[in-house]
Amino acid sequence: RAMDLLHDIRAETEGPLSPVLISGQLGPRGDGYQPANVMSATEARAYHSAQITSLAEAGADMITALTINYSAEAIGIVYAAGDAGRPCVISFTVETDGALPSGQPLGEAIAEIDGLTGAAPAYYMINCAHPTHFEAALARGEDWPRRIGGVRANASKMSHAELDEAEELDEGNPAEFGEDHRRLRALLPELKVMGGCCGTDHRHVEAICMACA
């Protein structure tokens, strides 16, 4: 029914100059903040295959995997999406040092996946982390940030561990959040998708639009 709703919305809003893609979204098998019960790429391919196949059969144009925290699961998702005949996007979450929760640097994870899959992901994203957590990693003059096409950041500057213990939602500073994205645009030449993750609302999205217009 959810996919039917999206198809109805597309029929009402799509135009010759404004195509609408429907993305079937999925998350990690376990806790997005902690890579426990780590799977091999083969195991991840088998695990995610049923959901990806269902999304493809329901009419999803592409598959987006969010809050992935180690590379083997991402590789399995890429293969499963290919099995279903759909392009995919891999979105990693990172810690305050810009590395995956597994400890692997983000650039190394992207290089590993591209190397093993023939650069199959349409692009990569970063989500569920504040821009200041990964800005420095993007600013080292390396080539891999060109593979980042989207960011859905947290409002809070807290670490994942701190967010897990927090009793109140930290909405951060929307105006500052917008300026953070303005700086990210200068570091990410292929950035096309921007939005919010934990703690964000319409104020944060509006601030992004105002800062990046």
Side-chain angles (χ1 to χ4, degrees):
R1 295 177 62 184
M3 293 297 292
D4 289 340
L5 174 61
L6 292 174
H7 282 285
D8 289 343
I9 293 172
R10 173 160 65 182
E12 295 173 1
T13 60
E14 188 172 44
L17 300 179
S18 56
V20 175
L21 289 175
I22 296 176
S23 176
Q25 302 198 21
L26 61 145
R29 180 175 185 174
D31 189 330
Y33 291 170
Q34 300 179 21
N37 301 316
V38 173
M39 298 179 287
S40 68
T42 299
E43 291 169 333
R45 183 180 195 169
Y47 176 80
H48 288 288
S49 179
Q51 184 177 7
I52 289 173
T53 299
S54 294
L55 289 168
E57 290 177 348
D61 299 307
M62 59 187 291
I63 301 297
T64 301
L66 295 165
T67 326
I68 304 302
N69 55 36
Y70 66 98
S71 60
E73 185 167 21
I75 293 166
I77 291 169
V78 173
Y79 286 142
D83 294 340
R86 293 295 185 272
C88 73
V89 172
I90 297 295
S91 184
F92 285 113
T93 190
V94 297
E95 297 292 350
T96 55
D97 61 357
L100 274 60
S102 66
Q104 185 178 27
L106 178 58
E108 287 187 12
I110 290 173
E112 178 186 4
I113 295 165
D114 277 353
L116 290 173
T117 67
Y123 57 89
Y124 294 86
M125 290 179 57
I126 303 169
N127 79 285
C128 211
H130 192 271
T132 57
H133 295 172
F134 52 86
E135 184 177 2
L138 302 175
R140 295 170 183 158
E142 299 172 326
D143 289 336
W144 62 265
R146 292 183 176 276
R147 290 288 280 137
I148 303 291
V151 171
R152 287 179 54 185
N154 283 354
S156 176
K157 295 180 181 179
M158 290 184 184
S159 68
H160 290 152
E162 291 169 330
L163 287 172
D164 269 344
E165 297 298 323
E167 296 184 359
E168 295 183 2
L169 183 67
D170 180 7
E171 61 187 27
N173 183 318
E176 184 180 90
F177 191 74
E179 287 303 308
D180 291 335
H181 282 75
R182 182 184 58 77
R183 294 196 307 275
L184 290 180
R185 285 194 71 189
L187 297 171
L188 296 171
E190 301 301 323
L191 183 61
K192 297 178 177 65
V193 178
M194 289 180 281
C197 201
C198 302
T200 61
D201 57 29
H202 66 282
R203 296 169 300 158
H204 299 79
V205 175
E206 181 180 16
I208 293 172
C209 293
M210 294 294 291
C212 297

